[in-house]
Amino acid sequence: MTSALAIHDGVAVIALDNPPVNGLSHALRCSIVDAVAEVNLNENIVAAVLIGAALPFSGGADITEFGTPKSWEQPDLVAVIEAVEASAKPVVAAIAGVALGGGLELALGCHARVALRNARVGLPEVKLGLLPGAGGTQRLPRLVGVETALDLITSGRLLPAGAAELKGMFAALVEPDEDLLEVASSIARSVARSGELPSISSLPPAQPRPEIFDAARARLSGSGERYPALPEIIAAVEAATVLDFAAGMEVEKAAFKRLIETDVSKALRHGFLAERRASHVREIGADVGVRRLDTAAVIGAGLMGTGIAQCLAAAGIEVTLLETSEQATVRSEKSVDDVLGRAVAKGRLTAKQAEAQKALIRWTTDYGDLRNVDIAIEAVFESLEAKRAVFEELDRNLRPGAILASNTSTLDLNAIAAFTQRPADVVGTHFFSPANVMRLLEVVRGDRTAPDVVKTAMQFGRRIGKVSVLSGVCDGFIGNRMVEEYFRQAMFLVEEGALPFEVDEALEEFGFSMGPFKVADLAGLDIGWSIRKRRAQERPDMPYSPVLDGLCEQGRFGQKTKAGVYLYADGRTAVRDPEVERSIAAFSQSQNIARREISKSEIVDRCVLALVNEGAKILEEGIAQRASDIDVVYLAGYGFPDFRGGPMFHADSVGLDKVVERMTVFERLQTRDPAFWRPAPLLQHLVSTHSNFADWTNRSAMENL
Ligand code: CAA
């Protein structure tokens, strides 16, 4: 059963009940139509209220049905809404939680709406590469005007029901301590008494505002190609100003059909579901509990540690920041003040909110102050000796059952856990810089980490607004291990014939917000340089091109020294440096490398398929749980274009046979380390079995059940 019908004083309550978010699946759609029919047949009923049964009103169309025949099967959502609107007895939507996408469209088809003041509504289909496909582009502008409708549908943002922009949408706003159902029922009765059934579709077209559509089209510039939903939304909302309702619906329907088949929409939908799937740890079931996490400590109040502390405070968690000197704590406090000050100046926080966040952070130099914390996150210098000192102190001072987390990005978590007498309580929480901005959190499970610690750390990530992805222990975990191969290729390309700006341009056209050399300049070229020096000792089998070492030897470390691969006269804008380009040509000559013209497609494939080959190894080693988790790491942490769905999804979309073919070509072309291009065994296996990463994920998920 997906919706239940009960009658109270002549009002039928249609309670939507399709966990987790009342997605409008085929079964739920059928049951709404049946319920409305019953309302109209039953003489004891004067009106009906549509409400979520202890769930949000509705998160919209059931995304998991997209791409399956169920999503088109009648009654589709348009037919459901038509049945509601055509009901001879009033149907009132009672909204708690959220009414999103098709959920809001369903509410707009009702004869009146009532909402809890703090409920949130919106049409976020654009984030899935779609437009509202059940009348949203036609009803919303008629109700709230073109400007608000276009803004809401193109941005996909959610608004609280009480927002001024939504004036006219709700017959009543209900305070949290009032009874939503009671208010909705009383409104339903009064609509029934009035004898009139207001319907948005019978309103005349929205007032034309050509200047708003022109401005929206001008703002699109190139993004319409990357996100085809945007121009379609503008056209559909414009149709609501010039066409009658039925003709406007045809425009919307045709656009929805086109968009749902686009690669962009498939990629964005994959990203949405992959992000949610990532939070599920396969072999840790509902029977495993979580530990208490109310208070935290962060060890090391540098840039990273201070960022982590701010992130915790923003989520309402009390945090103690520990440093070795008073001087360092003063610096850290100033940086917190600066960040909060900027947030207030930009209107992202009120002065009161900033003050409340600051009040949750305190600084100390004494481990004794950490005795009662529930979790301590170490964020000190990346050296095993430095970590040993911290973890021994934590082991001595923390209460039993507290979680000991390390923010290490490269070191062996098992070795760190072995510094303590409680390795089961040790877990990796790898934040990305700046920690208060970047969404990704890699949760690293050591060989001896307890299941409840893993589960707690994954949920903790979500609580502080991050996307948690589980990783096993290896050098660089999922993200940095793969990105190392990406940067290696970028440098090989440069010594073989491409110039850094050409590599950056090709990858930016692919969709990365910044090419690898701009990223390297931003992060500091000295970081990559020290990794290369370390690799030369530790892993001589992993050769790097030293093409950029000369820049580092001259002290050109990137933006912070106003010169790196590019010049930065103003400290921010990258400008090509002819001197660097000459030195690159000279370097190739000194290595007897005959420079050649390298196409944009080779640049993109060499860098992106390097991610894919390493990703396949990470999967077969069991470091990542599933291919889609790797995609989430790249989407949330490395600026991989969302409209391509992540590296593994991209590889599946290209076709793994083609991917392997390209790798074989690269093995012949590449001068240094051609062996890297031997396809990972898993990749070969998938090609030989005509399978792909997504299927492999599913199969292994089943094996693990
Ligand atoms: N369909 C199916 N499942 C959905 C869903 C949907 N529309 N929205 C969320 N879910 C699932 C998630 O996959 C997740 O599943 P698991 O428990 O298996 O991981 C679960 O619901 C909970 O989701 P969240 O973790 O995101 O929970 P939350 O409480 O943080 O957020 C939410 C809830 C605000 C509804 C959020 O999930 C969300 O924004 N959902 C998408 C809304 C959306 O885009 N709707 C438009 C759909 S397209 C449409 O409606 C087209 C149309 O016009 C006809």
Side-chain angles (χ1 to χ4, degrees):
M1 175 132 53
T2 42
S3 85
L5 193 124
I7 306 170
H8 298 291
D9 286 342
V11 175
V13 179
I14 306 173
L16 311 179
D17 192 7
N18 183 25
V21 297
N22 275 333
L24 291 153
S25 62
H26 179 249
L28 183 56
R29 297 196 303 269
C30 287
S31 73
I32 296 172
V33 170
D34 291 348
V36 171
E38 166 71 15
V39 165
N40 281 280
L41 282 174
N42 189 328
E43 285 175 5
N44 298 322
I45 298 174
V46 296
V49 170
L50 262 179
I51 191 168
L55 294 171
F57 181 77
S58 172
D62 186 340
I63 300 171
T64 58
E65 269 187 3
F66 284 172
T68 72
K70 282 254 180 280
S71 80
W72 300 114
E73 219 170 286
Q74 291 297 330
D76 62 11
L77 196 51
V78 172
V80 174
I81 295 170
E82 276 170 5
V84 169
E85 209 174 35
S87 163
K89 297 177 186 173
V91 182
V92 173
I95 299 172
V98 291
L100 302 182
L104 179 59
E105 291 175 296
L106 175 61
L108 293 177
C110 292
H111 304 104
R113 288 147 295 280
V114 174
L116 284 181
R117 188 180 289 281
N118 61 7
R120 289 173 307 143
V121 301
L123 293 173
E125 287 88 342
V126 67
K127 295 185 179 163
L128 305 174
L130 298 169
L131 88 176
T137 64
Q138 303 306 300
R139 286 191 178 87
L140 194 62
R142 281 175 164 82
L143 188 66
V144 299
V146 160
E147 196 165 14
T148 300
L150 193 62
D151 170 44
L152 287 184
I153 305 176
T154 50
S155 69
R157 72 195 171 98
L158 311 191
L159 284 179
E165 294 99 313
L166 300 177
K167 197 166 169 282
M169 184 177 282
F170 300 104
L173 289 171
V174 178
E175 301 305 326
D177 57 350
E178 286 182 274
D179 187 333
L180 176 67
L181 180 58
E182 208 172 285
V183 177
S185 302
S186 123
I187 287 184
R189 275 188 213 99
S190 77
V191 177
R193 272 195 305 274
S194 76
E196 279 183 32
L197 287 172
S199 84
I200 299 174
S201 66
S202 56
L203 295 174
Q207 197 185 7
R209 300 277 302 274
E211 73 287 2
I212 288 179
F213 297 111
D214 291 346
R217 287 200 176 92
R219 270 197 308 275
L220 276 185
S221 53
S223 54
E225 279 150 39
R226 285 183 177 175
Y227 300 97
L230 289 171
E232 297 273 25
I233 289 169
I234 298 172
V237 175
E238 196 167 31
T241 67
V242 289
L243 300 179
D244 65 25
F245 186 78
M249 284 298 285
E250 285 305 313
V251 172
E252 181 190 274
K253 184 174 160 191
F256 190 86
K257 280 203 152 160
R258 277 192 294 276
L259 288 171
I260 200 148
E261 293 304 329
T262 57
D263 291 341
V264 172
S265 176
K266 286 175 190 162
L268 292 169
R269 272 144 46 201
H270 165 77
F272 175 88
L273 291 172
E275 202 173 282
R276 275 130 192 101
R277 202 178 298 132
S279 66
H280 300 280
V281 179
R282 276 210 194 111
E283 69 278 20
I284 300 183
D287 54 318
V288 174
V290 288
R291 297 194 186 179
R292 184 183 78 203
L293 267 197
D294 295 330
T295 56
V298 176
I299 320 303
L303 198 66
M304 182 53 104
T306 304
I308 295 173
Q310 282 193 283
C311 190
L312 303 190
I317 298 171
E318 246 176 61
V319 51
T320 307
L321 247 171
L322 185 138
E323 252 300 344
T324 46
S325 72
E326 293 289 343
Q327 222 180 1
T329 63
V330 170
R331 252 197 325 268
S332 162
E333 184 165 359
K334 183 176 174 319
S335 119
V336 168
D337 288 338
D338 289 348
V339 171
L340 290 175
R342 277 199 299 276
V344 172
K346 286 188 178 161
R348 277 190 272 114
L349 286 181
T350 62
K352 215 168 152 196
Q353 286 168 324
E355 218 174 278
Q357 283 192 20
K358 170 91 190 279
L360 287 171
I361 309 178
R362 64 187 193 119
W363 284 263
T364 184
T365 52
D366 181 2
Y367 274 94
D369 287 343
L370 311 187
R371 278 190 215 294
N372 293 320
V373 299
D374 301 323
I375 182 170
I377 303 171
E378 162 279 309
V380 304
F381 183 65
E382 278 291 84
S383 108
L384 261 185
E385 278 320 298
K387 310 280 183 194
R388 175 197 288 275
V390 170
F391 275 81
E392 286 177 352
E393 283 287 0
L394 292 177
D395 198 15
R396 263 194 294 277
N397 286 283
L398 261 55
R399 65 166 177 81
I403 293 178
L404 281 59
S406 172
N407 181 51
T408 182
S409 55
T410 46
L411 300 174
D412 180 354
L413 187 77
N414 293 325
I416 294 174
F419 297 146
T420 75
Q421 304 301 309
R422 35 174 142 176
D425 296 342
V426 176
V427 68
T429 48
H430 179 210
F431 288 79
F432 287 71
S433 190
N436 50 329
V437 176
M438 297 296 288
R439 290 176 66 230
L440 178 64
L441 179 73
E442 278 181 325
V443 172
V444 185
R445 169 168 51 184
D447 291 348
R448 297 171 68 186
T449 310
D452 65 332
V453 171
V454 171
K455 192 170 187 176
T456 309
M458 294 291 287
Q459 289 191 6
F460 170 69
R462 189 179 165 124
R463 178 160 164 213
I464 59 174
K466 305 286 176 210
V467 180
S468 313
V469 179
L470 187 67
S471 172
V473 176
C474 68
D475 191 342
F477 311 125
I478 299 173
N480 283 346
R481 173 168 157 188
M482 287 167 66
V483 92
E484 188 167 5
E485 296 301 346
Y486 173 86
F487 279 110
R488 262 185 0 124
Q489 288 304 318
M491 283 190 272
F492 291 149
L493 286 161
V494 165
E495 68 174 17
E496 288 169 35
L499 288 171
F501 88 92
E502 291 171 319
V503 175
D504 281 350
E505 246 177 42
L507 286 154
E508 285 163 18
E509 278 173 29
F510 177 78
F512 280 98
S513 41
M514 263 188 181
F517 293 105
K518 286 190 193 148
V519 169
D521 270 356
L522 182 64
L525 293 183
D526 45 331
I527 294 178
W529 193 29
S530 80
I531 292 176
R532 293 195 291 279
K533 285 193 259 189
R534 183 154 62 83
R535 287 284 181 241
Q537 304 297 318
E538 287 172 357
R539 290 198 48 191
D541 61 314
M542 190 181 196
Y544 263 98
S545 165
V547 62
L548 297 183
D549 288 2
L551 296 179
C552 296
E553 281 154 13
Q554 292 164 35
R556 294 178 63 136
F557 292 148
Q559 281 198 23
K560 61 187 168 190
T561 58
K562 296 201 166 181
V565 178
Y566 297 95
L567 289 172
Y568 299 87
D570 63 1
R572 290 180 71 92
T573 319
V575 176
R576 283 170 63 186
D577 183 351
E579 199 42 55
V580 169
E581 295 178 2
R582 269 195 295 277
S583 76
I584 287 171
F587 173 84
S588 304
Q589 201 176 16
S590 74
Q591 305 282 306
N592 289 327
I593 298 173
R595 292 181 70 78
R596 63 186 170 91
E597 189 125 331
I598 300 186
S599 68
K600 282 191 171 165
S601 72
E602 179 179 343
I603 292 172
V604 167
D605 285 352
R606 289 261 303 263
C607 293
V608 174
L609 300 187
L611 293 176
V612 172
N613 208 24
E614 198 60 25
K617 292 174 194 167
I618 282 174
L619 263 184
E620 71 197 24
E621 288 167 26
I623 298 294
Q625 294 191 94
R626 26 177 118 78
S628 62
D629 282 11
I630 297 179
D631 288 334
V632 175
V633 167
Y634 268 77
L635 293 169
Y638 291 83
F640 197 95
D642 56 356
F643 58 89
R644 296 194 192 271
M648 313 311 272
F649 181 84
H650 172 71
D652 275 350
S653 312
V654 169
L656 296 187
D657 50 345
K658 293 206 181 68
V659 164
V660 165
E661 248 171 56
R662 287 295 270 164
M663 290 184 176
T664 317
V665 173
F666 298 153
E667 193 177 352
R668 279 203 312 274
L669 273 179
Q670 189 167 307
T671 19
R672 227 185 274 263
D673 198 16
F676 170 76
W677 285 114
R678 252 161 251 150
L682 173 64
L683 201 41
Q684 293 175 5
H685 165 76
L686 294 176
V687 170
S688 65
T689 53
H690 306 288
S691 184
N692 59 24
F693 287 122
D695 283 349
W696 186 81
T697 303
N698 294 339
R699 197 168 53 239
S700 63
M702 285 166 69
E703 279 163 13
N704 278 297
L705 278 176

